[in-house]
Every structure is written in C-alpha cells, then in structure tokens.
Amino acid sequence: MSLRVASMFAGIGGICLGFKQAGFDIIWANEKDRAACNTYRHNFGSDWLCQSDIYKVNPQDVPDFDILTAGFPCQPFSVAGEQKGFRDPRGNLFFEIARIVDAKRPKIIFLENVSNLVEHDNGRTFLIIYNTLVQFGYAVRYKVLDAHVYGNLPQPRSRIFIVAFLDFDMCGKFKFPEPIDLTLGINDIVNRSEKKHGSYYYGADSEVAQKYGGKIFDRNYTYRISDKGLIRVRNHYCPTLTANMGFYPNRVPIVCDDYGIRKLTHRECLDFQGFPQDYGFPKNITVDDAYRQIGNSVCVPVIKRIAERIGALLS
C-alpha cells in the first residue's frame, strides 16, 4: 500500500526525507520561507511543494493523505529563545496544524519540536497541544529522543516527537525506537587533513583568532563560542546546531585542522544532521541562509527510524 505524507512547515525537507527513506510517498508539502523552498526544490523537485503562508492554505486544496507531519516553529518554546510560547505569533502556528487536522483527519499525525516543549509554561503549553489532538479523536504517544542516542550521530540534539493515531489499537502497538550504539565520532565527519575553502578559516587578524586562537588546538574536539565565551564541547561531540548560525557567523562550531582554525563547513553540518551525500544547496542560497536552514532542520536518521515504526503498523 502506498502511504501518503503531507508535510507542514517542511523547511528544507528533513522530515520529508526521513519518511521518504522509510518508504513513504510525499504528496504535498508547505513552506513559507523562500530560501528554504529553493533548497527543498533543489533536492526534491517542485511537484508537490506549496510555497505559501500557511494561513492562506485552504485544506480543500490539499490532496488526501494518510500521515500529516510537521516540525512546527520551535523558537517560541526553546530555552535558547525567549520562551514566549503561544504569546509568540509563531507559537500560534500549532493551531494551523489543528485546522488542517480538523478538515482532513489523517490516520496519523507526526510532530517534532524542542524538548523544552514539555516543560514550557509549567507544562500548560504541551497540555494544550495534547488535549487538542485528543479532542479530535486521536490517541497520543510522545517521547524525547536525542540524536546521539537514537540516530548514531555525534551531536547532542534532544527533540520531542509526538505521534497521534486515530486507531487506538494501532497507538497501543506503536513503540518508539530503542537506543542504538554511537559508532560515529566527530573525526568520522571532520577530515582535518583536507583543506577547505578559504572562506571557512579564521585568519590571524580575525577577532576570533586573536581572542581564542591560542585556545583552539585539540584536534579531537569541536569548539563553540557562546555568550560565556569559548567552550570546548565535551565527549567528542559536535555542539547542537542552531538556527542562529545563520545570524551570528561566530556561532558556527569551530575545529582545528592542519591548516588553521575554521568553521564547520555546510557539508559537515549536513553530515552531523544525517543528510545523505547527494543532498546539497542550490547556488543561489547565501552562506548565512544555508547555516540557518541546517540549524532549523532535523536529524534525518531519527526521523527515519520513527517512520519505519509507523510504516510497520500500516503495512
């Protein structure tokens, strides 16, 4: 049976890719951001992408589907942001998901957000989301999964995954993936003997090199600059990749290689998110937009593992 997926807030297609790798058919996706849509089309084509403000999308114009996926904007709930939640206009976008669900009633709903969603506003935010799905007749399962535990990626990236089912028996049979061994380290992704494009390196006269250059020397670690200064990331991981890499260039993780100190490349960041080697960016995407898009995306192997569990129930 062909299992059809519609995706809201699709971004550059990380969730779509995970479901596609698990054997699902993506038949519709919506994204507002022009640059993200350019990247999405570059990798998936334009057959099903609807570039539009979600508020303008008529549910009747969305083809019928089995599963609705949505990585709805996480900044309103993130500990890295102001945590305004539903008081932030972006937080209210969850209710656009509810609007599509109410009209289409898919068999399954798959949602992804920051792990802090559970605690935000003393749990009231999550309770609104949970109760909304229940009121539409769904049974709900949720769990916080970390990429380095469930995706074999050396990046600590905890996210909450919510899977809701119209069929209560199916919900009872669903189980999130089990932890797997982490076999990849940062040096499986970062080739320190290969010289990258000069734009990635911090020259001797750069502010980063002058302020931190003498402290960035260990070739088994990555570093990040925070509000508190330079931090050497523990346990041989890449720090959590964030969207602010696209707004503050010095927030891109830093490594030391044979040729100096430099930022992680776009390709390395994609690798830390688990994107395949044939996934890339179009030439008209700016450097900053590419970093922002990666930080806004998901760890694809974690999505794929959950999608496989869902597919097994529907096959």
Side-chain angles (χ1 to χ4, degrees):
M1 179 178 68
S2 178
L3 300 172
R4 303 160 299 173
V5 172
S7 178
M8 297 175 66
F9 314 109
I12 61 173
I15 292 178
C16 291
L17 183 58
F19 272 82
K20 187 175 181 182
Q21 290 177 346
F24 290 81
D25 291 331
I26 315 300
I27 64 164
W28 183 86
N30 171 258
E31 175 54 50
K32 176 183 177 181
D33 184 82
R34 177 190 57 80
C37 286
N38 287 343
T39 300
Y40 191 104
R41 292 191 188 97
H42 181 72
N43 291 280
F44 294 93
S46 58
D47 291 348
W48 59 72
L49 180 64
C50 169
Q51 181 177 339
S52 171
D53 189 322
I54 191 60
Y55 290 108
K56 298 178 181 179
V57 171
N58 184 339
Q60 302 308 315
D61 295 333
V62 181
D64 291 337
F65 54 88
D66 302 299
I67 300 174
L68 178 68
T69 69
F72 59 109
C74 64
Q75 292 89 344
F77 314 109
S78 173
V79 293
E82 297 181 8
Q83 299 192 55
K84 291 183 177 180
F86 290 136
R87 290 181 288 111
D88 185 318
R90 295 169 299 176
N92 285 323
L93 289 172
F94 167 74
F95 297 108
E96 290 304 296
I97 298 173
R99 181 172 66 90
I100 300 297
V101 168
D102 190 27
K104 306 298 287 190
R105 298 300 170 103
K107 296 177 182 177
I108 296 175
I109 303 164
F110 174 93
L111 306 179
E112 178 267 353
N113 211 287
V114 291
S115 58
N116 190 59
L117 180 67
V118 180
E119 289 86 22
H120 182 266
D121 195 17
N122 293 316
R124 286 188 285 268
T125 298
F126 182 75
L127 189 61
I128 290 172
I129 293 171
Y130 184 94
N131 285 342
T132 299
L133 298 175
V134 169
Q135 288 169 7
F136 285 139
Y138 287 86
V140 182
R141 302 287 296 276
Y142 62 92
K143 188 172 184 178
V144 173
L145 305 181
D146 197 312
H148 78 276
V149 179
Y150 293 89
N152 192 24
L153 293 170
Q155 179 193 175
R157 192 181 188 87
S158 294
R159 293 294 185 266
I160 186 171
F161 297 94
I162 304 169
V163 187
F165 301 81
L166 272 181
D167 186 321
F168 278 49
D169 290 337
M170 188 176 294
C171 182
K173 296 176 182 177
F174 174 77
K175 292 183 179 179
F176 282 98
E178 299 295 328
I180 56 177
D181 291 338
L182 178 62
T183 61
L184 291 178
I186 55 174
N187 287 334
D188 293 307
I189 293 175
V190 177
N191 184 348
R192 299 176 193 259
S193 64
E194 179 181 79
K195 189 173 184 179
K196 304 299 182 183
H197 190 277
S199 61
Y200 291 111
Y201 288 87
Y202 289 107
D205 58 346
S206 68
E207 181 180 355
V208 169
Q210 290 184 359
K211 192 171 183 179
Y212 302 114
K215 299 178 181 179
I216 303 173
F217 58 85
D218 197 316
R219 296 165 57 87
N220 292 311
Y221 289 84
T222 56
Y223 297 79
R224 69 181 178 91
I225 297 174
S226 73
D227 293 338
K228 298 178 180 179
L230 182 72
I231 297 174
R232 189 178 77 166
V233 181
R234 296 181 300 172
N235 301 325
H236 305 278
Y237 292 151
C238 169
T240 303
L241 301 175
T242 59
N244 70 3
M245 296 189 302
F247 302 104
Y248 307 100
N250 67 352
R251 296 305 169 98
V252 180
I254 299 171
V255 295
C256 173
D257 70 13
D258 290 349
Y259 305 92
I261 60 172
R262 63 170 176 85
K263 308 172 188 176
L264 290 181
T265 67
H266 293 137
R267 179 66 257 170
E268 289 166 337
C269 288
L270 285 171
D271 289 343
F272 278 115
Q273 292 281 52
F275 281 81
Q277 291 301 305
D278 61 357
Y279 189 99
F281 293 99
K283 293 181 179 179
N284 63 347
I285 292 296
T286 68
V287 169
D288 290 341
D289 273 340
Y291 279 123
R292 175 177 59 86
Q293 290 171 12
I294 297 168
N296 267 332
S297 194
V298 297
C299 289
V300 177
V302 179
I303 304 296
K304 179 186 176 184
R305 295 190 69 208
I306 299 173
E308 288 173 338
R309 292 294 180 98
I310 293 171
L313 294 175
L314 293 172
S315 60

